[in-house]
Amino acid sequence: MPDKSSSLYNHTQSYAHLITERHAMIKPCTHHPYQLGASLYMPATRQDIWQVIKRDKLPTIDSIIICLEDAVSHSDVDLALTRLQALLNMWASHVNSINEPSNQADIQTQQPTRPLVFVRPRNPMMLQELADFEHIDLLDGFVMPKVDMYSLSNWRMACQNLSTDQLLMPTLETAALFNPHHNQELAIAFKEAFSQPIFALRIGGNDLFAALRLRRPKDSIIYDTPIGTLIYQLLGCFVPHGFYLTAPVFEYLDQPMLFMKELTRDVSLGLVGKTVIHPSQIALVQQAYCVPLSMLDEAQAILHSEAKAVFKYNNTMLEPATHRAWAHEVVNRSEVFGTINDGNSDYKPLL
């Protein structure tokens, strides 16, 4: 019988090469997804959003998502759109009074560094409408709800008039996401669908629970539920294609220990941010993402230009060939959230 191992090997190599090419297709952007940190949804009807952007309110929030979808009733949509345009006008008139999130605050002028700012429209038609808003380019980008293979073409059309510098965050929250074959198609389709970079994929936990006729239980973390099983599957599907995923919201304010337990799992899985529903959750998210100094030491040892192929460090075997991607993520996290002494609750911000 002819030896087919060579052709099989070549086929495997060609698939790996395809994935590498698709990684290269992801347009680089100024910000890193870890900058999402603690994300707060704010109804567009609120009149204090400008105060949050310029850090008069919620001065430690990492990112905000101005919501025109679930947080706004149908009867208030016109009001929400009017207030969004008024916010953009206000922002444009004071654009030089705040710094971009990627820059450190100006020490001389004491100008604040604003949070990342996104808008979540109700549907693709509304996103097309927003593209014509004056000063819409001030936004960092858009959160697109309920994106799957069935709605992707509509979202793609809606984004055609947006700036190619704005960031997109599709939300994975429909029943279609329970189909692994659908998700593989979606991961590949995302690479070619938009001219804008996909900053991160948001996991919509509550909508996914609803698809199963469930609600998140109050006495367990999400990873002990069927949605936890799905999150592992989503990670295995989308991360190898170069995407980052965010962690679902934790809506129980009277369960801080459970919240911290879930955050620990979020961070260990490489999820890049967590939606918060109350200011009391902001510091807990930021502390959970701080990098232990011993972990940063290991990452820097792995990335050192003279690192051996395999070496012992801190009683751990380190292998740069397989640990390099992890090490880069640890460094990225530390640059956003700072470091924490192992076993110490205090942390040192690096920004």
Side-chain angles (χ1 to χ4, degrees), residues 60-292:
T60 61
I61 193 71
D62 298 302
S63 57
I64 64 170
I65 300 168
I66 303 170
C67 186
L68 291 157
E69 194 210 12
D70 291 345
V72 176
S73 64
H74 181 75
S75 60
D76 286 336
V77 169
D78 289 340
L79 173 63
L81 291 170
T82 299
R83 289 190 174 168
L84 175 60
Q85 183 62 79
L87 169 67
L88 293 171
N89 294 340
M90 175 67 73
W91 189 346
S93 66
H94 295 84
V95 70
N96 294 322
S97 66
I98 51 177
N99 288 322
E100 295 297 301
S102 58
N103 300 325
Q104 294 186 8
D106 189 313
I107 297 176
Q108 293 182 338
T109 64
Q110 294 298 310
Q111 290 180 179
T113 301
R114 67 169 177 83
L116 290 169
V117 182
F118 297 84
V119 163
R120 176 168 68 170
R122 296 176 88 84
N123 48 48
M125 186 181 302
M126 180 178 281
L127 181 55
Q128 285 183 305
E129 181 181 351
L130 292 174
D132 295 327
F133 271 38
E134 195 173 4
H135 310 304
I136 197 68
D137 288 351
L138 290 172
L139 297 172
D140 294 299
F142 297 89
V143 171
M144 302 182 295
K146 300 173 177 60
V147 180
D148 54 27
M149 286 300 293
Y150 305 102
S151 64
L152 184 60
S153 61
N154 291 333
W155 286 110
R156 180 179 184 177
M157 292 291 293
C159 290
Q160 288 185 342
N161 293 329
L162 298 178
S163 166
T164 56
D165 293 326
Q166 289 183 307
L167 307 173
L168 304 180
M169 289 199 287
T171 308
L172 309 176
E173 55 184 347
T174 69
L177 272 299
F178 289 91
N179 182 342
H181 298 293
H182 164 275
N183 296 341
Q184 286 291 344
E185 292 182 10
L186 186 61
I188 294 173
F190 274 151
K191 296 300 184 70
E192 303 173 353
F194 304 105
S195 300
Q196 299 79 13
I198 292 182
F199 194 46
L201 303 175
R202 304 192 67 81
I203 300 175
N206 285 337
D207 281 275
L208 293 171
F209 274 116
L212 299 180
R213 299 191 295 272
L214 296 174
R215 180 188 176 189
R216 171 201 275 268
K218 194 171 184 176
D219 57 354
S220 61
I221 64 174
I222 199 168
Y223 300 101
D224 294 333
T225 72
I227 303 306
T229 302
L230 176 61
I231 291 174
Y232 283 110
Q233 189 263 318
L234 295 177
L235 287 165
C237 175
F238 289 99
V239 173
H241 285 270
F243 295 106
Y244 290 87
L245 280 73
T246 68
V249 66
F250 184 93
E251 62 263 46
Y252 299 112
L253 293 175
D254 59 345
Q255 297 277 5
M257 298 305 295
L258 202 62
F259 180 53
M260 288 299 294
K261 182 179 178 181
E262 182 166 301
L263 275 169
T264 300
R265 188 75 64 87
D266 295 335
V267 174
S268 70
L269 293 175
L271 298 172
V272 293
K274 185 83 165 173
T275 302
V276 296
I277 60 170
H278 190 272
S280 64
Q281 294 182 325
I282 297 173
L284 295 178
V285 172
Q286 293 169 340
Q287 181 170 320
Y289 276 94
C290 288
V291 175

